[in-house]
């Protein structure tokens, strides 16, 4: 839950592990990207601060345009 390497390995195997990660790790870009690369629906467990990352959101939107609903307001207003 709080060990970065353990959480990263878990998320790389199953994106749903992100739900149980500590908040600080949900906000970690590498952990978040590992989850999003597996499935854009992992965005639901990410804080808005990480959903403002254009690279992360681009990966999610490549999978499904519905991912835009999880984009931070700052990204949506600049689109």
């Amino acid at each position: 839950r709080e060990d970065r390497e353990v959480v990263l390995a878990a998320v790389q195997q199953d994106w749903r592990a992100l739900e149980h990660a500590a908040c600080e790790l949900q906000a970690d870009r590498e952990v978040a990207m590992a989850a999003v690369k597996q499935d854009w629906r992992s965005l639901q467990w990410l804080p808005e601060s990480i959903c403002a990352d254009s690279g992360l959101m681009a990966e999610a939107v490549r999978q499904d345009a519905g991912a835009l609903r999880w984009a931070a307001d700052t990204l949506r207003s600049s689109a």
Side-chain angles (χ1 to χ4, degrees):
R1 185 162 152 62
E2 295 181 13
D3 183 298
R4 185 179 184 278
E5 295 307 312
V6 170
V7 169
L8 183 57
V11 166
Q12 288 171 333
Q13 295 218 351
D14 186 344
W15 62 271
R16 289 174 286 248
L18 186 65
E19 178 183 11
H20 305 289
C23 293
E24 310 84 57
L25 293 173
Q26 289 175 344
D28 180 289
R29 188 181 191 285
E30 186 178 2
V31 171
M33 185 62 88
V36 169
K37 281 184 175 182
Q38 280 197 23
D39 197 303
W40 68 272
R41 293 174 296 173
S42 60
L43 294 172
Q44 64 189 304
W45 291 300
L46 298 177
E48 186 172 346
S49 60
I50 199 77
C51 290
D53 183 296
S54 59
L56 184 120
M57 289 307 300
E59 174 62 35
V61 170
R62 270 193 288 277
Q63 294 175 38
D64 191 302
L68 283 174
R69 75 177 190 187
W70 297 102
D73 290 339
T74 53
L75 277 183
R76 277 188 266 160
S77 63
S78 67

